[in-house]
Amino acid sequence: MSSTKGQAFLDAFAEKSAKIGNQVHLRSLRDAFATIMPLFILVGIAVLVNAVLFDKIWGANGLAPNAELLTTLQYWGSAIASGTLNISALLLAGMIGYSLARNKRFDNAVACVVISIAAFVIMMPMTVTANLAAGSELITEKITTAEVGGVLSASNTGTQGMFGAITIGLLATTLFIKLSGIDKFAIRLGEGVPPAVEKSFNVLIPIMLTLGTFALAALLLNAIFATDLISLINTWIQAPLRSVVTSLPGLVFVYCLGTFLFTLGIHQSTVTGVLVEPILTIVLLENTTLFQAGQPIPVENYMNMDIINVFALSGGSGCTIALIIATFIWGKYKPSREVAKMSLLPGIFNINEPVIYGYPLVYNLPLMVPFVLCVAVNITVAYLATVAGIIAPCIAPVPWTTPLFLNSFLATGGDVAAVVLQVILLVVDVLLYLPFMKVSEKVFMKQASAESTSDEN
């Protein structure tokens, strides 16, 4: 009876988790990040080329003919950073509008891109504080900054403005789609009109009402509170949420929960993919921006998406590459060894569905323990090693399929100590899996023996 109730609870939990993961706004946020992720991987490569190849290898070892040539060559990477990181919030706002429109099956997704970007810019401050250049005649003992109008600040359009872009992009697109569904607001031009013209006139009034509403909100915030919506979002929503998500206890709990659910057949991304990974990605991109500018990485940014992909999920969810190695060395159950052979190559590229469902790990009680425990240990050790200065902070987005050891080297900007730590963690994970793997094999052997006896009878 209790087993039936337990299964019913798991089924209900799985259904609720699936609903959360498929919620249209969260799904649109995930899709938007997925669309522009290649740009962030490109800028990670560009930053690494500038910092590792040109600075550490050429510059530090005196291989470059002169410093001027190095600066010239680094222009390529800097240009890519300007076209990606510095406008990342604008790109994200537009793709959120597009993704939400597609997921809601709205027939004018392009208009939603325009609305999201326009609303986002409307909510930005109309003046920014600029530091006066050294040697400027305007600088006095008391005046070193000036208010400048007619410009967009990279602090709003870049990585620091991404959370504002998420909020405003979702709100503006949702409002626009609802207004567009009101027939009275549609302007019909009749037959013979080009489709693009007809679509633009159909949404003319909804566009004006949506952007007019956001402009009114910007006016009220500026006139009454002398602030803007992006600043309020960063202060009252982003900062508290980030402090929870990027804390060691918070992240360990979330990823251990997600990993545990994987052992019950509920994919980990249902919990982590839509709730915490966008925030961790934003933090990582901030690190890329700071690293590219030659600025130090703050401690609060040490916990980011690379810590998870490179160290916590080494070889895939649950660090199953360690289970594969343990099975190769000490495994005696032939079916498990066959699965390990097939799973090794995908595991090197952090793809572990073959071992998850083939070994299997799903509903395998002995292996549930190390599957979750390895994640907690790896997150904790990698974070503490970064805080202690043993390894460099993660600063470059790398594809999650980047092979083991290469991913840690690239993610930390060429830090060999990070590779050594990844090797140590892999050894620890193998030792954690070993006793539970032996128990699991004994269970499999007993089940196989029982089935064989049953067949003979």
Side-chain angles (χ1 to χ4, degrees), residues 18 20 35 59 92-93 98 103 110 167 195 257 318 330 368 401 434 450 456:
I20 293 174
T35 301
L92 182 60
Y98 182 82
N103 287 330
V110 174
T167 308
L257 174 62
W330 294 285
M368 284 182 179
T401 52
L434 178 58
E456 290 177 0

Side-chain angles (χ1 to χ4, degrees), residues 1 8 35 41 44 62 81 101 103 118 141 152 162 177 191 203 227 274 282 308 321 329 336-337 368 387 423 433:
M1 185 69 178
T35 301
I41 293 173
N103 287 330
E141 292 182 359
L152 295 179
M162 292 180 79
I177 291 175
E191 298 180 1
V203 296
T227 188
V274 296
I282 291 173
I308 300 301
I321 189 71
I329 299 175
S336 296
R337 291 180 62 86
M368 284 182 179
V387 172
V423 173
Y433 264 106

